[in-house]
Structure formats: structure tokens, C-alpha cells
Amino acid sequence: PQAGRFREFYQCDTDIIDRDELDISFDAEIVSLISALFTKLGFKNFQVRINNRKVMNGFFRSLIIDNPSDIFREIDKLDKSNKDDVIKELKKLDLDDKKIEQIFQFIEIKDNVINKLKELDINDEDYWEGVEELEFVVNRVKEIGVKDENFDVDLTISRGLDYYTGTVYETFLTDYPEFGSVCSGGRYDNLTSYYTKNKFPGVGCSIGLTRLFDCLLKNNEITLDQDTPTKILVIAMEGFDGYGLELGNTLRELGINTEVAFGLKGSFKYADRLNIPYVVIIGEEEVEKDKYTLKNMQSGNQSMLSKEDLVKNIKEIFVK
């Protein structure tokens, strides 16, 4: 749909869950984990930006805004949209200019953020609990040893999902700001209430692997020496699917990465596009002769072999 976002994508999740209560120290552990992961991946310039939903909820209540979920979703778009567009969307939520100005004055607080939050005259229990939690998490992150340049408090981080109840974070690659957040998460104390009467509070994060590797590839941080791990594409002609599946299983048991395609249409183009080195064809002629056609996609050479000879040849090429 847009740069860095795919209709199919993979995420890698980490969650810490307990029964009834979960110590807030684990909120700092997740920041430590994110830092360790991105350091291990070779990134030096990244930043985990931390906020707390209780702080935000308390602030919005002080503006007499009782249901801030829609506002969270708009604020969450600030790293993808410009400020004017977000303001337009906030106006659609029946917020007057004064409240919108107050919201931006608040979320744009920078430097010594926690001290500045303490100076505000906000009479809301949630707000002060959130400030306390935020300060605790930041201090614990420092104690763990995460570098100062790799985390910061950012009041624009709101996470648009309703189930977050406390700490929230998003991770950005400093050198590639256009890719937005590549790792996000937070605390969810009540999520399991949808499914059980028991309370299982948790905190976690999710790395957008697809987005992360898209960024790495486009910026030549990593290179791929092959387009696919597949070594053999078995093409089973119509009516001979079973033969194809059986051969595919035989080759996989030998440790040879094998795909099975059903029907000739588009199969050779698929093999060409992904640079699959060999194709095996199974059709009426092959079954009648009890043989298989093996084609070298690079040279174009092909030969018809018995299953025993086919497997032997493939083993000699790929099994070391």
C-alpha cells in the first residue's frame, strides 16, 4: 500500500505476562531487549521513544475530553503525516482551536520532559500515576545500561490501539526516519479480559521484520546472494499432482529446498524470476516411461532420468 508497508507482512513478538500483577520493572526490560536486538542486528543509530498512556489519559481528562481514543489514533500518525493534516483530522473530532493548541503544546514538550510534566497543574490521579511510572521506567532503563542516545521520552508516542494501559514505545532508525517505527509495543493490563475472568497483565513489543528488512535492502545494509532458498521446482502437470508431491517430499527429506507447482502455466516464468536453478517436470510422457525430466534453468539443458538417477544427480549437485 505504501513504502515500508506490505499487504502480507511478518512480525516477531516478545511478551512478558504474569497473573494478577506484573512488576513495572518489566516495562524497562522490554526497552533493554529492543536495544539489545537492534545492537545485535548492527544498528548504532536507533532510538526507543517512550511514553505512558496514563499520562495522556489524565491530560485529556483535564481538557474535559473523556474518550481520547480517536485523538490517540490521530496523534499516532504524526510520524507519517504533517502537523497540519493531523490538526484537520482533530477538528473533525469536534475539538476547538484552543484545545488543539493545548494538545500540541503538551505533546511537543521536549528536554527534561518528566520534570516539565511534574510542573504542570493537572488534577488527575491517572496523570500523576503515569508520570511516576514513566520516571521509574526511564530510571530503570538507565540502570540496566541502555545508552542515553538509544532511548528518550516522547509525548507524541500514543499507540492508537485501545488496549494499551501504561507504558508505550516505538523504535525508529535515526538514519532512516522515512521508514517510521520498526518496533512498537507497550503494557496491556486488561487485554485478556475479553477472553477470561482471570487477569493476565502483560507488556511486550513487536518488530516489523518485513519493514525492517525492506529498509536494510533498499539502503544496501544487507545483500541477498539469492532470490529464494528453493533449489528445485517440481512442476506436476494436470492429473499428476500426486507424483509431484511424492517427489517433493523425497527431495525435502534429503535436505534439498523444494517447491511443487501444479500445472505448466506460469511455472517456468516463476522459476526464472526467482533464479531457481533446476526444474523437474512430471507429465504423461514421464509417467509412461517411469522417468522425470530434469532441466538446468541456466544452461537450458534437460534430460529424462529414472527417479533413482534423478535423485542421485540432484544429491551430487546439492548435498555435500
Side-chain angles (χ1 to χ4, degrees):
Q2 65 188 71
R5 289 185 177 270
F6 299 86
R7 287 182 171 84
E8 178 181 350
F9 59 91
Y10 291 87
Q11 293 185 171
C12 178
D13 298 280
T14 298
D15 294 273
I16 303 167
I17 300 171
D18 206 345
R19 182 186 287 272
D20 298 328
E21 292 184 8
L22 179 69
D23 195 289
I24 194 171
S25 294
F26 289 110
D27 295 33
E29 285 281 346
I30 292 294
V31 179
S32 174
L33 172 68
I34 296 170
S35 176
L37 283 169
F38 279 85
T39 300
K40 188 74 173 176
L41 286 168
F43 292 102
K44 295 180 180 178
N45 301 319
F46 64 87
Q47 189 176 64
V48 185
R49 300 180 189 170
I50 310 169
N51 195 8
N52 190 294
R53 286 287 285 266
K54 292 176 184 176
V55 172
M56 305 302 290
N57 284 328
F59 169 71
F60 285 126
R61 269 196 298 271
S62 74
L63 298 183
I64 317 177
I65 298 172
D66 295 323
N67 187 8
S69 297
D70 291 335
I71 301 174
F72 282 140
R73 278 188 276 273
E74 296 308 323
I75 292 174
D76 196 43
K77 297 173 184 176
L78 278 170
D79 69 309
K80 313 173 194 75
S81 305
N82 62 54
K83 181 177 176 178
D84 289 339
D85 289 338
V86 173
I87 289 173
K88 287 178 183 177
E89 294 304 315
L90 290 175
K91 287 182 177 180
K92 292 178 183 178
L93 300 176
D94 295 327
L95 293 175
D96 58 40
D97 290 342
K98 183 179 179 181
K99 285 185 178 179
I100 292 174
E101 182 182 353
Q102 288 174 309
I103 289 171
F104 275 95
Q105 285 177 347
F106 182 79
I107 64 177
E108 290 174 351
I109 294 174
K110 305 294 181 185
D111 302 321
N112 298 314
V113 176
I114 293 173
N115 288 335
K116 290 177 181 177
L117 291 176
K118 289 180 177 180
E119 293 171 358
L120 297 179
D121 183 21
I122 293 179
N123 184 22
D124 185 276
E125 186 177 340
D126 248 12
Y127 174 85
W128 291 107
E129 186 176 327
V131 171
E132 185 179 332
E133 289 182 359
L134 190 57
E135 183 175 31
F136 179 92
V137 170
V138 167
N139 288 336
R140 184 54 54 89
V141 168
K142 291 178 180 178
E143 290 172 3
I144 292 171
V146 178
K147 294 179 181 179
D148 288 346
E149 61 266 28
N150 292 140
F151 75 97
D152 198 9
V153 176
D154 185 343
L155 298 178
T156 67
I157 302 302
S158 58
R159 304 296 296 141
L161 299 170
D162 290 342
Y163 56 75
Y164 289 113
T165 56
T167 308
V168 286
Y169 6 69
E170 294 193 2
T171 309
F172 297 85
L173 302 176
T174 312
D175 296 331
Y176 310 111
E178 70 276 10
F179 273 85
S181 175
V182 292
C183 180
S184 307
R187 173 173 280 255
Y188 45 91
D189 284 331
N190 306 312
L191 183 59
T192 57
S193 64
Y194 291 101
Y195 312 105
T196 174
K197 293 180 180 179
N198 296 314
K199 187 174 181 180
F200 294 100
V203 62
C205 66
S206 176
I207 296 179
L209 290 181
T210 310
R211 173 179 287 197
L212 179 62
F213 279 91
D214 183 55
C215 173
L216 291 170
L217 285 167
K218 286 181 176 176
N219 291 283
N220 298 314
E221 296 285 349
I222 58 172
T223 56
L224 299 178
D225 57 4
Q226 56 189 41
D227 294 308
T228 177
T230 301
K231 304 300 181 185
I232 304 287
L233 177 65
V234 177
I235 301 175
M237 306 292 277
E238 187 176 351
F240 301 96
D241 297 359
Y243 291 91
L245 292 169
E246 182 184 14
L247 179 61
N249 286 336
T250 299
L251 296 177
R252 290 179 191 129
E253 287 172 0
L254 295 172
I256 300 165
N257 294 334
T258 304
E259 290 186 49
V260 179
F262 304 103
L264 195 60
K265 185 177 180 181
S267 296
F268 278 101
K269 286 185 178 179
Y270 175 76
D272 272 331
R273 180 165 57 84
L274 293 181
N275 293 316
I276 298 174
Y278 288 89
V279 164
V280 176
I281 305 161
I282 305 171
E284 184 176 359
E285 182 181 1
E286 284 79 12
V287 171
E288 285 179 355
K289 296 181 179 180
D290 196 22
K291 293 188 176 182
Y292 299 82
T293 298
L294 176 65
K295 181 172 182 177
N296 183 320
M297 293 298 291
Q298 187 170 10
S299 67
N301 296 332
Q302 65 181 51
S303 54
M304 195 172 281
L305 304 168
S306 66
K307 183 176 182 180
E308 182 180 349
D309 288 339
L310 174 77
V311 172
K312 181 181 177 181
N313 280 17
I314 292 175
K315 281 178 66 177
E316 287 176 354
I317 296 169
F318 294 114
V319 179
K320 298 179 181 180

